[in-house]
Amino acid sequence: MAGKRKTKASKAKHDELAKPSKWRLQHGAFSGPIRAADPETGTPVQHRRAVDTLGLMLAHGSITPQMHEAGEIFRGLFRAACFDSMSTSQIMRIPGTRVDTLSTMQVEARRRVAAALDALGGQDSPCGSCAWFVIGLEFSVREWSMRQGWAGRTVHGPVGQGILVGSLGILAVHFGLMPRARAA
């Protein structure tokens, strides 16, 4: 008679669960763990922040702090305008209300995003498209470069990074973080 097979109890290692998975690490690096207290319970927790494109460029000296701040302002406006969020239906529906109404904050954010895109040359320009996808939707420069092209040609990586740097410079001037250059 065959005996019962004993299965090995798989023991989850707590150290490995606290780190990002191999799959997540291939999509970008993380900063070191930052210890803080949970605001609701007060228990100590460790946060790991995913390093974004703008953060990497600032760390490498490719952009100035004003350019980084302009990118963060644009990203904040983009999120407030709800251009990046997924639409959901309401769980509790109130008769006589509409789901597709925008708040005044969303309308103002959309107006400011449109003004910034106009300063960049419009949404279909290289700078406007780069700002929309790389800064707003947080695509990588490589992802945006592969999907974007003009006159039947794709944008190469270094050129895409140069377009992003130019876009951030224009946004920094647009948001008043850097002075406008005076004509000689």
Side-chain angles (χ1 to χ4, degrees), residues 12-77:
K13 295 181 181 178
H14 293 290
D15 293 340
E16 291 184 17
L17 292 177
K19 296 179 182 175
S21 66
K22 289 181 184 178
W23 177 86
R24 180 58 188 96
L25 286 173
Q26 75 183 1
H27 294 286
F30 279 84
S31 66
I34 300 167
R35 296 186 63 87
D38 186 13
E40 293 179 7
T41 61
T43 59
V45 293
Q46 282 188 349
H47 297 283
R48 293 182 185 267
R49 186 175 156 267
V51 179
D52 60 340
T53 303
L54 297 179
L56 282 174
M57 291 177 77
L58 180 64
H60 293 301
S62 302
I63 59 174
T64 64
Q66 292 86 2
M67 292 174 164
H68 182 266
E69 182 66 23
E72 292 296 325
I73 291 170
F74 184 84
R75 184 178 292 158
L77 288 172

Side-chain angles (χ1 to χ4, degrees), residues 4 7 10 18 30-31 33 49 52 57 65 70 75 79 106 110 127 133 138 147 154-155 167 172 175 177 181:
K4 289 186 179 179
T7 58
S10 62
F30 279 84
S31 66
R49 186 175 156 267
D52 60 340
M57 291 177 77
R75 184 178 292 158
R79 287 182 183 157
Q106 289 173 330
R110 287 181 179 208
C127 289
F133 287 100
E138 299 184 35
R147 70 177 290 168
T154 60
V155 177
S167 301
F175 291 129
L177 300 172

Side-chain angles (χ1 to χ4, degrees), residues 141-152:
V141 176
R142 183 172 176 258
E143 288 174 318
W144 172 75
S145 297
M146 288 190 321
R147 70 177 290 168
Q148 190 62 48
W150 285 273

Side-chain angles (χ1 to χ4, degrees), residues 120-131 144 148 150 155 163-164 167:
L120 292 169
Q123 188 173 351
D124 293 332
S125 70
C127 289
S129 175
C130 184
W144 172 75
Q148 190 62 48
W150 285 273
V155 177
I163 292 172
L164 177 59
S167 301

